[in-house]
Amino acid sequence: MDRDAKERIADFGEVDLGFTEAEVRAEAARCIQCKKPKCVNGCPVGIDIPAFIHACEMGEFREAARIIKKDNMLPAICGRVCPQETQCQGECVLGNKDMPISIGHLERFVADWERREGIETPVRLPATGKKVAVVGSGPAGLSAAAELARLGHSVTVFESLHEAGGVLMYGIPSFRLPKDIVQTEIEQVKKLGAEIKTNHVVGRSVPVAELLGYDAVFLGTGAGLPYFMGLPGENLCGIYSANEFLTRVNLMGANRFPEKDTPVKKGKKVVVIGGGNVAMDAARVARRMGAAVTLMYRRGEADMPARLDEVRHAKEEGIEFLCCTNPVRFIEGENKAVAGVEAIKMELGSPGDDGRCSFAPIAGSNFTVEADVVVEAIGQGPNPLLLRMMPDLARNKNGSVAVNCLGQTSIPKVYAGGDVATGAATVILAMGTAKDAARAIDKMLRGAAEF
């Protein structure tokens, strides 16, 4: 159940209130316990979904939590932000004729129940004496750290920001992912034995040579480098990347300036450019800061990569959608500040190999949208700071770290996972690649395999 839109746009409280215990048990009872459960194949971290659902049906929520945490130490996070509709739920056979099982809501309930009733820390294997450095404390770094610590290795996580959590803290707003929940699950990773050092910039305060002195290294530095359109007027005051805009608000409380130290411009008319989840997040944050918000997207609504629930929530909250529209320049107002966006209408063509329609500008269809703040949410790539300091690290054309199927890079003992290796993707995909890399690191450290 969602909170009413008129109420929720006045605060940053969570929108989705989740299932009740009765709803959880009724939903779990719908599961037909397939002999070959496709839902497990659809889960990037391989949770035994039928087993945890059966435990939910029986009301055995402690056991359900144990089952989930064998493969996922961040269940309250994943239950809220993972795109289950295209992953585990998307594979549910009940979806062929009816509604698939609401696996995400069940996972969220179990994690929230355990947080209320007392969290159990999984058993850790005996210490191996091996030391592993993890760079980055986002979903990939936390997942790798949890897996490696559970396997008995000494793990040190280096985080450049003052708070651990990566995109979970700076990128995803509290109304989708409350920050106390992120911190609770980070504490569970620490209880497994991982040490997290914030304000440590690898390559600066931590030299690369020191990093490579560990028995193994996992790079989980994410995709924090924002992309820009390169349009005229892009340097005007009031134009932000979504990365900066969301970081200032989510991590630094800029919406409460001067109560908090970091400011952000509170626009009256905000234009957000993009159609993904990040664009929806930026638009909904701006709405909660009192702005009239227009979301501008070059394709049709059906082609938006954002989750359907995020699109629905944005519309409910009064955000105007301008689809088949693309900016061509930013208009300068007083004091070198942005005053508007000149845009052009787009004509959609046939779907491509990815199923999304091609597009082309319609000559003479230019028009202007007033705006005193613009947020560009058109994607991001790997942060190059550390990668440039490791010249032997092979990279792909898009700047991501090149890895093999085990997550191993071109440098011995160095592995990578998450967005720095895959490009910007989902939280759960980052966790899946990190978990695979952590298990490969474990085998390498134990001498169980040749790499």
Side-chain angles (χ1 to χ4, degrees), residues 29-270:
R30 294 178 56 233
C31 178
I32 61 175
Q33 295 291 315
C34 303
K35 291 184 179 180
K36 295 182 179 180
K38 293 183 178 180
C39 57
V40 177
N41 296 332
C43 175
V45 295
I47 294 171
D48 188 346
I49 293 171
F52 108 74
I53 289 179
H54 179 68
C56 286
E57 182 184 357
M58 298 295 104
E60 298 171 355
F61 302 121
R62 178 73 65 190
E63 179 60 19
R66 290 172 183 149
I67 293 167
I68 293 170
K69 286 162 62 177
K70 288 178 183 178
D71 297 291
N72 178 8
M73 282 297 294
L74 308 176
I77 292 170
C78 290
R80 286 169 164 83
V81 302
C82 288
Q84 292 93 0
E85 63 274 12
T86 59
Q87 295 178 335
C88 54
Q89 287 175 204
E91 296 293 332
C92 177
V93 297
L94 292 181
N96 294 332
K97 294 183 178 180
D98 194 4
M99 294 293 292
I101 301 295
S102 295
I103 299 169
H105 277 98
L106 300 185
E107 182 180 28
R108 168 185 167 167
F109 177 88
V110 169
D112 290 351
W113 181 94
E114 189 189 31
R115 191 170 71 255
R116 291 192 306 270
E117 301 298 325
I119 299 176
E120 281 187 1
T121 302
V123 175
R124 184 184 181 190
L125 295 181
T128 64
K130 300 294 185 179
K131 297 182 178 181
V132 183
V134 173
V135 187
S137 66
L142 291 173
S143 295
E147 191 71 16
L148 289 163
R150 181 168 18 200
L151 291 167
H153 306 300
S154 175
V155 179
T156 302
V157 181
F158 296 106
E159 169 56 51
S160 61
L161 295 174
H162 61 285
E163 292 275 5
V167 70
L168 304 172
M169 286 296 292
Y170 73 73
I172 304 176
S174 295
F175 52 79
R176 279 215 295 138
L177 181 61
K179 301 314 169 194
D180 60 328
I181 286 172
V182 178
Q183 292 304 316
T184 296
E185 299 209 322
I186 290 173
E187 285 303 313
Q188 296 312 300
V189 177
K190 291 181 180 178
K191 286 184 178 180
L192 281 171
E195 179 185 13
I196 300 178
K197 294 184 176 183
T198 57
N199 296 311
H200 279 65
V201 181
V202 175
R204 299 298 189 194
S205 54
V206 181
V208 171
E210 179 181 333
L211 183 74
L212 297 178
Y214 283 77
D215 295 306
V217 176
F218 175 81
L219 303 178
T221 50
L225 181 68
Y227 295 152
F228 290 93
M229 301 184 75
L231 298 177
E234 200 162 44
N235 292 325
L236 293 171
C237 296
I239 298 179
Y240 296 89
S241 69
N243 182 287
E244 179 184 0
F245 182 75
L246 291 172
T247 298
R248 283 175 177 264
V249 175
N250 296 337
L251 187 63
M252 301 173 182
N255 57 304
R256 289 177 283 159
F257 180 83
E259 176 188 343
K260 296 291 184 178
D261 293 337
T262 300
V264 71
K265 185 175 181 180
K266 291 187 177 181
K268 294 181 179 179
K269 295 182 178 181
V270 175

Side-chain angles (χ1 to χ4, degrees), residues 217-219 393 401-411 413-418 421 433-434 436-438 440-441 451:
V217 176
F218 175 81
L219 303 178
L393 192 67
V401 175
V403 296
N404 64 15
C405 61
L406 301 171
Q408 189 179 34
T409 74
S410 56
I411 300 177
K413 304 191 304 181
V414 177
Y415 294 71
T433 59
D436 290 344
I441 289 171
F451 292 90

